[in-house]
Amino acid sequence: MLVQASRAAPDNSEILYNLGNARASLGEFDTAIIAYHQALALEPNRAEYHNNLGRALEGARRIGEAVEAYSRALALQPAFAGALTNLGNAYLDLGRPADALQCHRQAIAHQRDFDAAYSNLIFALNFDPAAGPHDHARERARFGDIHRPQLPAGAVSGRQRDPDRRLRIGYVSAHFRHQAATYAFAPVIIHHDRRAFEVICYSDTAPEDALTHKLRDSAKTWRSTADLSDAKLAALIKSDQIDILVDLVGHMVGNRLGVFAARPAPVQVTGWGEPTGTGLPAMDYLLGDPVLVSEPVRALLREQVIDLPCFLCFWTPESLPDPGPPPAVAAGHVTFGSFNRPAKLSDPVLRLWARILREAPTSRLVLKSPHLGDPAHQQRINAIFGSEGISPDRLTILGASDRGSHMKAYQLIDVALDPFPHGGGMTTLDATAMGVPVITCPGPTISSRLAAACLTALGLTDWIATSHEDYVALALRKAADLEGLASLRQSLRTRLSRSPVGDAATYTRAVEAAYRGIWQRHCEARDGS
């Protein structure tokens, strides 16, 4: 109807703007961009039009243009909190965490109850090399203090307090579709023990895809919740008599932490999506592992940490290509690589990698991410390496591809380099599945320890550096051992598949044992909390 209306009234900017919104909600970003431009041609001084154009441009992976659109919106309306936090997200994608944090803080200053800006700020801290565990904890606590539950846990504990009965597990996410984090939690839904657990999914996912449908088929009940307010979703969860409610998003975009703050279930857990802690007093547990969450950090969290074999599981919905031989054998030089998102490729990271390339003068570097097809990212990366004396012919920058082609691209690299201070979780496991070992240097924050946790679970601790100096030395030493790389390349996938990390059924049993344990503790508590 909106399309017909726009044709009938081509000079109506509101209709064109709403058409853009509708197209963007379906993931049709190119069409949405056209509609927004048409609306702006009629009314160029509408800040909300520029803001939503920026969001569509980000969706189309045109980050440089998105920054310009948000900046125009703010020139028209400087206190536009939505545009400020959107600009912050764009700056983060461009590897500018300090600018991102400044934008999010400005957005909060203009709109104190802006939950998305708080979450964006907390998420952006993961990328800030100057932020330590206490900085992370302080911002999470501020968010949590705003969302103290009105009711104690006992107010929703009217479930049958039988520690051994079949439990109703509710999963809340906007990410029930093909994307990295989903491959970590999807097997827990697909392989769940139907005799002991009943799974109910609360999905804000849009657009949906084949994995959405597979997950829907695996759940007892599937509820589409994108149109529900936090209050209505919380009421629905209460009426569904959920025993354990699980957040799969953390502080990433699309979270429903406002629902968890209302405590609609007697036991609440966060994990997998962004496992750094929520700060909510109503969030009882965080799924992690001993390496991911160090003892000093545990004392700073409001959640109690439940240790799994690894905070992630590796699962893939399709067969993987063969790892092939190390490319160094045919190429005559070692190729390093990183398939992490651009936000993790900050200037200090790229400069350290440039140092590795200088000290291994015949080596090459391959960078790949869906967003790296954007010229804005390519220009920044090339400029940094150029300033470090690395010629463009030693860099290969690859953008979006289907998952099969993405995994096949690991055949191009010998050794993967983990970024910092926000490392790669599923990216590390993807590389391992393709026979590519990963070098990492964990720090004190949870987000800096993702790769180290995965490598430790797989018995690959000799790939974990203790400092940036050690990181460079380790990269050079491992890259020089071509025989060792060849042997490891052929064994890594088997090592992964035989571990609790890569065996989806075994991993699921560990998660379900954790659920049973926390439910038993709930039943044993005198107040039911």
Side-chain angles (χ1 to χ4, degrees):
M1 292 181 64
L2 280 170
V3 173
Q4 293 173 340
S6 66
R7 290 171 180 167
D11 57 350
N12 189 315
S13 71
E14 287 286 347
I15 291 175
L16 290 165
Y17 171 67
N18 288 327
L19 175 61
N21 293 341
R23 293 302 194 194
S25 70
L26 296 172
E28 299 173 4
F29 298 114
D30 291 336
T31 308
I33 290 166
I34 293 171
Y36 290 134
H37 277 303
Q38 289 173 336
L40 283 164
L42 297 169
E43 290 195 71
N45 294 325
R46 295 286 292 270
E48 67 271 26
Y49 290 10
H50 289 286
N51 179 61
N52 284 21
L53 170 61
R55 295 183 65 181
L57 287 164
E58 276 198 84
R61 295 169 181 156
R62 293 158 60 178
I63 193 70
E65 295 174 71
V67 168
E68 293 175 4
Y70 296 138
S71 298
R72 285 194 290 271
L74 290 166
L76 293 166
Q77 190 176 326
F80 190 168
L84 277 165
T85 199
N86 288 336
L87 179 59
N89 291 338
Y91 280 148
L92 186 65
D93 286 343
L94 286 169
R96 297 166 58 179
D99 292 331
L101 291 168
Q102 182 180 8
C103 286
H104 298 319
R105 289 191 169 106
Q106 288 176 347
I108 292 168
H110 290 302
Q111 188 176 331
R112 292 289 180 181
D113 61 348
F114 194 0
D115 282 0
Y118 279 101
S119 283
N120 290 339
L121 170 63
I122 290 167
F123 184 69
L125 279 174
N126 294 321
F127 301 80
D128 182 9
H134 285 87
D135 300 301
H136 290 227
R138 182 171 57 252
E139 295 299 344
R140 285 192 298 258
R142 286 175 180 169
F143 176 82
D145 288 344
I146 294 171
H147 294 287
R148 289 194 173 276
Q150 299 299 311
L151 298 173
V156 289
S157 63
R159 318 290 190 267
Q160 181 186 358
R161 291 177 63 183
D162 177 353
D164 301 315
R165 69 171 171 81
R166 190 175 188 231
L167 297 179
R168 293 170 65 80
I169 311 295
Y171 291 100
V172 181
S173 180
H175 303 154
F176 291 120
R177 61 172 180 265
H178 280 285
Q179 66 171 48
T182 310
Y183 302 137
F185 66 74
V188 177
I189 296 174
I190 293 168
H191 294 282
H192 77 274
D193 182 349
R194 287 162 174 76
R195 296 168 300 176
F197 300 92
E198 181 177 334
V199 167
I200 299 91
C201 291
Y202 300 92
S203 173
D204 284 358
T205 306
E208 298 182 344
D209 60 21
L211 183 53
T212 312
H213 303 150
K214 185 176 182 66
L215 292 170
R216 181 185 286 119
D217 291 342
S218 300
K220 171 68 174 178
T221 304
W222 185 275
R223 301 201 183 281
S224 297
T225 55
D227 294 333
L228 298 182
S229 67
D230 283 352
K232 289 183 177 179
L233 178 52
L236 176 61
I237 291 167
K238 285 183 182 179
S239 69
D240 281 343
Q241 295 284 291
I242 297 299
D243 297 309
I244 299 176
L245 188 67
V246 186
D247 159 55
L248 300 172
V249 182
H251 279 285
M252 292 191 297
V253 172
N255 74 69
R256 281 300 195 106
L257 294 179
V259 172
F260 286 81
R263 194 180 271 288
V267 179
Q268 302 194 145
V269 180
T270 183
W272 294 302
E274 192 249 345
T276 62
T278 64
L280 292 176
M283 194 69 79
D284 304 301
Y285 297 99
L286 167 68
L287 299 178
D289 65 53
V291 175
L292 180 75
V293 191
S294 64
E295 287 299 330
V297 171
R298 292 181 185 220
L300 302 175
L301 295 174
R302 280 182 165 159
E303 299 91 348
Q304 181 178 340
V305 179
I306 299 295
D307 286 323
L308 298 175
C310 180
F311 78 102
L312 291 178
C313 175
F314 179 80
W315 173 83
T316 180
E318 66 278 305
S319 59
L320 298 176
D322 187 81
V329 173
H333 58 76
V334 168
T335 302
F336 298 101
S338 176
F339 290 7
N340 287 275
R341 66 162 115 182
K344 297 180 181 181
L345 309 184
S346 64
D347 288 14
V349 169
L350 296 178
R351 294 190 189 282
L352 192 70
W353 292 353
R355 178 180 165 187
I356 293 172
L357 294 184
R358 282 198 307 272
E359 297 193 24
T362 63
S363 64
R364 303 290 191 273
L365 177 67
V366 176
L367 303 176
K368 187 178 191 305
S369 168
H371 302 86
L372 286 179
D374 188 332
H377 289 305
Q378 296 177 12
Q379 290 166 8
R380 181 180 74 89
I381 291 167
N382 283 319
I384 290 173
F385 278 100
S387 70
E388 294 288 331
I390 306 300
S391 61
D393 63 308
R394 297 180 66 189
L395 299 178
T396 300
I397 302 177
L398 303 175
S401 64
D402 60 67
R403 179 163 169 80
S405 299
H406 180 81
M407 298 302 287
K408 190 176 177 63
Y410 278 102
Q411 295 175 348
L412 301 174
I413 65 176
D414 297 285
V415 175
L417 300 175
D418 190 48
F420 54 85
H422 196 323
M426 289 308 296
T427 309
T428 297
L429 295 181
D430 282 350
T432 304
M434 288 302 299
V436 179
V438 181
I439 292 172
T440 188
C441 182
T445 63
I446 294 175
S447 52
S448 72
R449 304 175 69 82
L450 308 179
C454 295
L455 294 176
T456 300
L458 294 172
L460 296 168
T461 55
D462 56 318
W463 291 83
I464 302 175
T466 57
S467 67
H468 289 170
E469 287 295 321
D470 186 36
Y471 183 102
V472 173
L474 185 61
L476 297 173
R477 185 168 67 252
K478 293 292 190 181
D481 182 10
L482 295 185
E483 184 176 340
L485 287 176
S487 175
L488 193 57
R489 195 176 188 93
Q490 295 307 310
S491 66
L492 274 182
R493 182 178 294 179
T494 299
R495 182 193 291 248
L496 175 62
S497 66
R498 291 179 178 175
S499 75
V501 181
D503 182 336
T506 298
Y507 187 88
T508 300
R509 299 292 85 79
V511 172
E512 291 178 342
Y515 288 162
R516 183 61 62 185
I518 61 180
W519 180 253
Q520 289 171 344
R521 285 197 289 277
H522 167 74
C523 292
E524 291 166 1
R526 285 179 299 176
D527 62 357
S529 62

